[in-house]
Amino acid sequence: MKRFVSIVMAALLLFVQIDALEAASVKPSVVSQNAKTPASGKTTAAKTTAGKTTAGKTTAVTAASAGQAALPAGARLAAVRYGDSTERLRIVLDTGSVPEYKVSKENNGTRLVVTMNNLTAGIKSAPECKSNVVKDVILGTYGSNTVQVIVDMKAALDTKVYALKNPGRIVIDIQKEYEKETATAVAPGLNYIRYVRVDSRGIMTSYLLEVDRSRFDVGLALAGGNISSGRATVKSIAGAKGAVAAVNGGYFGLDGTLIGNTRIDGQTAGTTYYRRTSLGFMPDGTLKLAPSEYYGEVNVNGKKIFLSGVNCERGANTTILYNSLFGSYTKTNEYGTEYVIRDGKVTAVNQGNSFIPSGSQVISVHGTAQAAFAGVKVGDRVTVGESFGSELDAAKNIIGAGPELLRSGIVNVTAEAEQFPNDIAKGRAPRTAVGIKADGKMLLLVVDGRQSHSIGATLVETAQLLKRFGAVNGFNLDGGGSSELVLQGQVMNSPSDGKERSVGSAIVVTGK
């Protein structure tokens, strides 16, 4: 009998202990009906099974029973708050003290998961978020001290997650799709615009000058004042010209040689033998975008000799034309022959490094090219013929670059037809471009790229930007690290090299 009573008493004591344990335990739960698969796997309501974790079940045990340290004082998710503006959505997780947390992204970047350890949930669910960039904000608890906040976004947007103290909180910033335009009237006829666009592609920052050419002159300036001086920064070129504003010009070589069909004050500054888009300043004051193709010849001894280049380094067996835009001397070696020409007649014959008088040209020949000039002497008739194509021959000033971006208000990128390489034709990059409005105003556009504040633009996107600001025609200039806009002596953009790049030329805006 005594043995029976002992057994009954032991059983009763065991039931009391089990009841006490169940009363003390914290049952974990998923606190949003819309919960989806978290970063750690399935979300399930956990059941207590003697302090062990089984498949699909999570045991809630106290820190003491698991041999863990107690949670930090105040480590409790007390609230989820939202701040929604045109630029961003801010989600604030009030945690009292800063917990250990990690951040991950899922679903091709459209789901942000913030997992916080050593934290309890003091709320059952996150309040509804009415922002137009978020589908849902989900709150889930896992075990006794892990909380997840899952943000399902409508697109893969840029996010930033960071902690703040006093009081402790986790902050989630989501950059929204938006456009922000800041316009400044620099002077009558000169407007400056900073434009920022954020969307699923990322953030893009651009800078634009709108120039009324009835109030300001626009032209191309050479670095150092001539080609042989080499390269210089856009800021220094603008300063030397007393320009109120400037952007980088067309393509160039490392020695400052211009690579593009370019004419300044009636003289050829640089050439390319590709058929590419150029901008002509026409005699009637209008601007004209047209394809140009340089052709140059020398008429000597009854023969036509094709020019190999203008104002560039003389190579083997070539015929190069130099004029005063190159500098004071040709800087050639003694292994060729040079003929100084003025008004169609030879005024001097030299071996190399000839002086270039104002109003004269120098024809420099080397190797097999010298045969056509056999016997030519001072006083003989030698003439030079040049053409940039019928559409632009009348232009006194021509800026060559390309490709075309916009024609008659329609995006028209001609990179393939103009045979541009992929580093210019493809992908996003810093860009510089020129637009022409219907009223004749000129747009000078620079887009930053390869940086956290701006992803750059494709050629199509550059054309779309020009169109957005009212251009009906437009073309591309040199880009990448060359892209730069200077206004009143200040560099307004952020060149992707981390500093100003020295370039061959700049488009400068000066007062009339």
Side-chain angles (χ1 to χ4, degrees):
M1 183 67 179
K2 289 181 180 180
R3 185 177 180 185
F4 173 75
V5 172
S6 297
I7 292 172
V8 172
M9 292 298 291
L12 288 173
L13 180 60
L14 179 60
F15 289 142
V16 170
Q17 290 174 335
I18 291 173
D19 287 341
L21 283 170
E22 289 180 346
S25 65
V26 180
K27 295 183 178 180
S29 62
V30 176
V31 292
S32 171
Q33 295 299 317
N34 298 323
K36 301 175 183 178
T37 305
S40 57
K42 273 191 174 181
T43 301
T44 58
K47 295 183 179 179
T48 303
T49 56
K52 296 181 179 180
T53 301
T54 58
K57 300 177 182 180
T58 305
T59 302
V61 294
T62 64
S65 67
Q68 298 174 352
L71 297 175
R76 177 174 174 268
L77 180 60
V80 177
R81 298 181 285 117
Y82 305 119
D84 204 5
S85 69
T86 57
E87 296 185 4
R88 72 180 174 215
L89 168 65
R90 173 166 288 176
I91 303 174
V92 180
L93 312 177
D94 291 321
T95 56
S97 62
V98 178
E100 174 190 339
Y101 69 94
K102 65 179 181 179
V103 181
S104 60
K105 280 192 174 181
E106 302 174 353
N107 296 357
N108 295 319
T110 61
R111 170 177 285 184
L112 177 72
V113 180
V114 181
T115 303
M116 296 168 284
N117 297 318
N118 297 323
L119 184 75
T120 60
I123 55 175
K124 291 184 177 181
S125 63
E128 181 184 2
C129 183
K130 297 181 180 180
S131 174
N132 62 355
V133 297
V134 167
K135 295 179 182 178
D136 199 4
V137 178
I138 304 163
L139 179 63
T141 58
Y142 306 94
S144 62
N145 63 347
T146 298
V147 178
Q148 272 190 348
V149 173
I150 303 169
V151 183
D152 278 326
M153 300 175 288
K154 294 181 180 179
L157 301 174
D158 284 344
T159 60
K160 182 180 179 181
V161 181
Y162 55 97
L164 295 175
K165 297 180 179 180
N166 301 321
R169 56 205 185 277
I170 304 295
V171 181
I172 304 170
D173 282 342
I174 301 174
Q175 289 295 115
K176 299 173 65 175
E177 292 195 15
Y178 70 91
E179 294 177 304
K180 185 176 182 180
E181 183 178 317
T182 306
T184 303
V186 180
L190 183 63
N191 297 312
Y192 168 71
I193 297 171
R194 185 177 186 270
Y195 172 71
V196 179
R197 183 203 70 202
V198 179
D199 58 22
S200 59
R201 291 169 290 187
I203 184 170
M204 184 199 68
T205 304
S206 58
Y207 314 81
L208 184 92
L209 284 174
E210 181 189 65
V211 185
D212 182 348
R213 293 192 305 119
S214 69
R215 294 176 177 268
F216 290 89
D217 287 323
V218 180
L220 190 71
L222 299 172
N226 57 63
I227 294 168
S228 64
S229 293
R231 300 177 294 143
T233 66
V234 175
K235 185 176 178 179
S236 66
I237 297 172
K241 288 293 183 179
V244 65
V247 298
N248 62 288
Y251 307 105
F252 59 91
L254 293 178
D255 61 354
T257 300
L258 301 192
I259 304 173
N261 295 329
T262 307
R263 179 186 282 170
I264 299 176
D265 293 333
Q267 291 194 98
T268 300
T271 62
T272 178
Y273 288 94
Y274 292 101
R275 181 178 171 85
R276 287 182 172 169
T277 301
S278 297
L279 174 65
F281 293 72
M282 307 309 291
D284 62 0
T286 60
L287 297 172
K288 185 175 185 179
L289 274 181
S292 67
E293 189 169 13
Y294 179 79
Y295 173 84
E297 66 179 24
V298 180
N299 295 286
V300 57
N301 288 335
K303 299 178 182 178
K304 289 183 179 181
I305 308 301
F306 296 117
L307 289 173
S308 308
V310 179
N311 291 332
C312 57
E313 183 180 2
R314 186 193 67 201
N317 305 314
T318 58
T319 302
I320 304 297
L321 177 68
Y322 294 96
N323 56 44
S324 58
L325 292 178
F326 185 76
S328 297
Y329 292 86
T330 60
K331 295 188 175 182
T332 53
N333 60 35
E334 68 274 20
Y335 301 110
T337 307
E338 297 186 330
Y339 302 87
V340 182
I341 310 297
R342 186 180 182 89
D343 298 329
K345 289 186 177 181
V346 177
T347 61
V349 180
N350 306 306
Q351 291 303 113
N353 196 27
S354 296
F355 176 69
I356 309 172
S358 179
S360 296
Q361 298 170 305
V362 176
I363 301 169
S364 182
V365 294
H366 177 272
T368 56
Q370 295 181 90
F373 290 82
V376 173
K377 60 186 182 301
V378 172
D380 286 353
R381 184 165 180 78
V382 176
T383 60
V384 176
E386 295 180 282
S387 173
F388 286 84
S390 59
E391 292 193 74
L392 294 178
D393 262 348
K396 189 175 181 181
N397 291 281
I398 300 172
I399 299 174
E404 182 177 79
L405 301 175
L406 193 64
R407 178 164 290 276
S408 301
I410 298 172
V411 173
N412 184 46
V413 177
T414 57
E416 184 175 351
E418 296 186 31
Q419 301 182 57
F420 277 98
N422 286 341
D423 63 329
I424 295 172
K426 305 292 184 181
R428 288 191 177 90
R431 303 284 184 183
T432 305
V434 172
I436 306 168
K437 300 180 72 172
D439 61 4
K441 289 187 176 70
M442 194 176 199
L443 302 180
L444 302 176
L445 172 70
V446 167
V447 182
D448 276 345
R450 301 170 184 161
Q451 299 170 80
S452 60
H453 74 280
S454 188
I455 60 173
T458 65
L459 290 176
V460 169
E461 290 168 344
T462 305
Q464 292 168 339
L465 276 174
L466 288 174
K467 184 176 180 179
R468 182 192 186 281
F469 289 105
V472 291
N473 296 307
F475 83 131
N476 187 59
L477 296 171
D478 189 20
S482 300
S483 288
E484 183 177 335
L485 187 150
V486 171
L487 178 62
Q488 296 178 318
Q490 299 297 316
V491 179
M492 306 304 290
N493 71 307
S494 177
S496 63
D497 286 352
K499 61 180 180 180
E500 289 186 86
R501 175 183 289 182
S502 293
V503 298
S505 65
I507 298 176
V508 295
V509 180
T510 55
K512 284 187 176 292

